[in-house]
Amino acid sequence: MPSQPHNSTTAHPAQHMPVKQKMALSLKYLASSLLGNGSKGPAPPSVTELFPKTDPAVDGEDCLHDCDSCTIHYPRNFKIDTEDVLYGHVNAWSTHLLVGTSKTDWVRDVADEKGSVMEAVDNAAKPANGNMKLSASNMPTPSHHSDYSEPTTVLLLPAFTLVHNVHPRNVPQLITDIVSKSPTSTDPLKPFSIPASLPSLDPDNVPALMTADCPHKAVILMCSQATRDARCGKSAPLLKKELERQLRPLGLYRDLDDERPGGVGIYFISHVGGHKYSANVIIYRRPNAFGLDDVVGEKVTADGTTNAPATNGANGQKKEEVHESEKKEEKEEKEGSVGAAQCIWLARVKPEDCENLVKYTVLRGKLVKPESQLRGGFDRGRGVMSW
């Protein structure tokens, strides 16, 4: 039967690397062949190997089309760099700490926010388990006020762990007893344990640290810091609006105060670098977050049901085998959380990308335009990272 004409999206051209990226990679491969990798070990996977890329033969022709039904667009004067090399140029990080501030913009360097947790983290000893990326975020504080004298909540990734009652005075304890003992971007997927509470070292002034598993299956982070670049301040709210439009019919959208299990949290964060490639979007996903990573053709409907063929194209598993793997994951969840399996850092994201960003990247861990959008990331399940 001939396929039905596609009436909701607009075809985008086949993805090709920017000229600068082709030249840079050619030189990189030449140098690697002549000099080897030295003591750095195996070279990281290529831009199309770090995460699976969508294939129309497997994923359907929708992956060839940008959204044509979205009414949200960037302003006409929204200009970004489209030629620079993106992939493989982000520094390695082990953990990522998002600090709730109830704000969407901050001073140029968030460590200069006087009296804040960010300032305290910057002044504290570094975690024992590697480099920690620090982001201020619009995660709500308990009082919903941006008063740094009050304790706040932080989200630790890839652990997918919320830590409550964080205050500048207990930041050293946070780093030593929680961050340093949490899984990192290079650790294999296995259950870990973080204390549910830690007694306060200053009980008269600071409450005890409390931890909890983040309820979300995935989180989407977007730079909104207009003080660093106006484009970030413009792009983040527009993308959030379109992402919400795509997630709501699936029952997956979670606003800032929605603690229902599952779903996708969307947070604005401070500068991550590369604002000239706005919008920067970072996605952390739990292992097979929505049960679709290994199934081809399955569609999530508004009532949460799915419809899939008997086999999937990724590895030829039968659907019954997929269900067995899901049962195994449920067992692992009961034994303890393993945190995020993937972190996918994209750039040059536009509102018209959001439909496929949700459908393929958030729901399935696949990329539609890695050649032009992927900056880096990691996949703990496969033990690969972009650095």
Side-chain angles (χ1 to χ4, degrees), residues 6 59-63 246 250 292 298-299 354-366:
H6 197 287
D59 301 295
E61 292 190 3
D62 282 355
C63 67
Q246 299 295 333
L250 306 178
L292 299 174
E298 186 159 346
K299 295 181 179 180
C354 290
E355 181 178 50
N356 281 345
L357 183 71
V358 168
K359 182 174 183 178
Y360 297 108
T361 307
V362 175
L363 295 185
R364 301 173 186 267
K366 292 187 174 185

Side-chain angles (χ1 to χ4, degrees), residues 334-346:
K334 292 179 181 178
E335 293 175 349
S337 172
V338 299
Q342 293 177 318
C343 176
I344 303 169
W345 185 346
L346 304 174

Side-chain angles (χ1 to χ4, degrees), residues 313-331:
N315 53 22
Q317 282 180 293
K318 293 182 179 179
K319 193 172 182 183
E320 292 79 5
E321 294 172 344
V322 173
H323 290 322
E324 286 300 318
S325 66
E326 290 173 354
K327 290 179 182 178
K328 181 179 178 182
E329 289 167 6
E330 290 175 1
K331 179 182 177 182

